[in-house]
């Protein structure tokens, strides 16, 4: 299996898509829309996957900018936008908490599928 095929398979099986949007970009909404368009063009149901959208690099923004950009993303259709700074760690725990239930649900479904494929356990 080649690397591209492996990456496609992993992307299609993922539990949730984490969409990091650069808060320092001068084209924030366009950047977000580009990713949405790419997901739609890719197909394979990616556009229907749960997405967690995060305004990243908030350490470079003041409180007013954070609120403004978060509102802009939400108004554009990004849903409930979280705030995070990968550099300072601010908001990272909240992002991980938002991802966790989706990952746990996927793992549970994968275990059920594996058990179904193997049949009932016998000693």
């Amino acid at each position: 299996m080649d690397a591209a095929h492996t990456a496609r398979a992993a992307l299609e099986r993922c539990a949730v898509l984490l969409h990091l949007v650069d808060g320092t970009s001068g084209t924030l909404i366009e950047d977000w829309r580009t990713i949405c368009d790419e997901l739609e063009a890719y197909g394979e149901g990616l556009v229907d996957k749960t997405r967690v959208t995060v305004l990243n690099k908030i350490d470079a923004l003041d409180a007013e900018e954070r609120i403004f950009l978060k509102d802009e993303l939400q108004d554009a259709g990004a849903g409930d936008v979280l705030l995070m700074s990968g550099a300072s760690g601010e908001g990272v725990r909240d992002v991980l908490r938002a991802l966790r239930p989706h990952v746990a649900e996927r793992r549970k479904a994968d275990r059920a599928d594996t058990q179904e494929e193997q049949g009932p356990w016998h000693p």
Side-chain angles (χ1 to χ4, degrees):
M1 188 179 304
D2 68 355
H5 188 307
T6 302
R8 278 193 303 275
L11 183 60
E12 291 164 14
R13 286 192 65 245
C14 71
V16 59
L17 299 176
L18 175 61
H19 189 159
L20 295 176
V21 183
D22 182 348
T24 63
S25 170
T27 57
L28 180 78
I29 302 303
E30 292 82 3
D31 297 347
W32 176 78
R33 285 192 177 127
T34 297
I35 296 299
C36 293
D37 292 345
E38 289 177 4
L39 290 172
E40 191 168 333
Y42 183 87
E44 304 301 324
L46 286 185
V47 75
D48 298 322
K49 286 199 178 274
T50 301
R51 282 182 251 174
V52 173
T53 303
V54 177
L55 180 63
N56 194 24
K57 298 187 180 180
I58 61 168
D59 57 297
L61 306 172
D62 65 32
E64 188 176 306
E65 289 173 312
R66 291 175 182 194
I67 292 168
F68 175 79
L69 294 174
K70 179 180 178 179
D71 288 347
E72 287 284 302
L73 276 171
Q74 289 178 166
D75 290 347
D80 187 28
V81 176
L82 300 174
L83 303 176
M84 181 183 103
S85 167
S88 72
E90 181 182 355
V92 170
R93 184 169 285 155
D94 293 333
V95 171
L96 293 174
R97 285 184 179 140
L99 296 171
R100 185 176 181 156
H102 303 289
V103 173
E105 183 178 317
R106 180 57 187 236
R107 286 182 178 164
K108 184 178 176 182
D110 286 349
R111 279 193 302 272
D113 289 346
T114 300
Q115 289 173 351
E116 196 173 286
E117 289 172 9
Q118 294 175 351
W121 181 82
H122 297 288

